[in-house]
Amino acid sequence: MEPSLQLQAAIRARLVASSAVTSLVPAASILDKNSRPETFPCILMGEGQTAPDAGLSRTRHQTFFDLHIWATEPGLVVSKQISGAIRDALADTFWNVTGLHVADLFISSSRFMRDPDGLHSHGVVTLSAFVKEIA
């Protein structure tokens, strides 16, 4: 199994379980899809990448994952509030991911953009995780 897929499920579960996140974004609007969002605000599970980490067994990986935040607003305030709620929901705690030990998961960057349509804001929160496959 691709580690980023297992991690994606755990991240979504953590976000929908967070009242701070769901007070800003309904749980039904936190999803994995490839098209432009239809409902606002929303969090779209974005791109993932897995790179090998050190170790001869090749069972350790560094995984990167993007969360795309979309909101209807003239500025960037709501996107930044959602990003803060995501940060709190993913804060250092034990991660229970089937088949993986998550040694570390953290936000490596957050960036915020105004959509060219002038009606929406867009944020991208990039996560980084160090994981090890377990039996």
Side-chain angles (χ1 to χ4, degrees):
M1 179 71 73
E2 166 56 36
S4 68
L5 180 60
Q6 295 156 289
L7 201 54
Q8 174 181 320
I11 291 166
R12 185 181 184 282
R14 183 74 59 93
L15 295 178
V16 300
S18 167
S19 60
V21 173
T22 58
S23 70
L24 297 167
V25 179
S29 295
I30 302 172
L31 40 92
D32 180 10
K33 64 183 276 185
N34 291 329
S35 63
R36 186 173 175 102
E38 298 165 4
T39 60
F40 298 89
C42 66
I43 300 171
L44 300 182
M45 310 302 281
E47 300 74 24
Q49 176 185 356
T50 300
D53 199 19
L56 294 175
S57 65
R58 305 292 187 245
T59 58
R60 294 188 290 189
H61 313 281
Q62 184 173 14
T63 301
F64 303 92
F65 196 77
D66 288 336
L67 299 173
H68 291 265
I69 301 165
W70 288 92
T72 303
E73 62 175 330
L76 299 171
V77 172
V78 174
S79 286
K80 290 179 179 180
Q81 289 172 335
I82 295 169
S83 175
I86 290 170
R87 183 177 303 277
D88 292 345
L90 301 179
D92 293 333
T93 59
F94 177 77
W95 284 86
N96 186 10
V97 180
T98 302
L100 292 178
H101 168 71
V102 179
D104 194 11
L105 185 143
F106 57 94
I107 294 176
S108 57
S109 71
S110 300
R111 54 199 183 280
F112 305 94
M113 300 142 280
R114 290 170 174 83
D115 195 62
D117 70 7
L119 302 174
H120 300 99
S121 65
H122 180 199
V124 180
V125 175
T126 300
L127 308 174
S128 182
F130 291 96
V131 301
K132 182 178 185 333
E133 296 174 29
I134 55 175

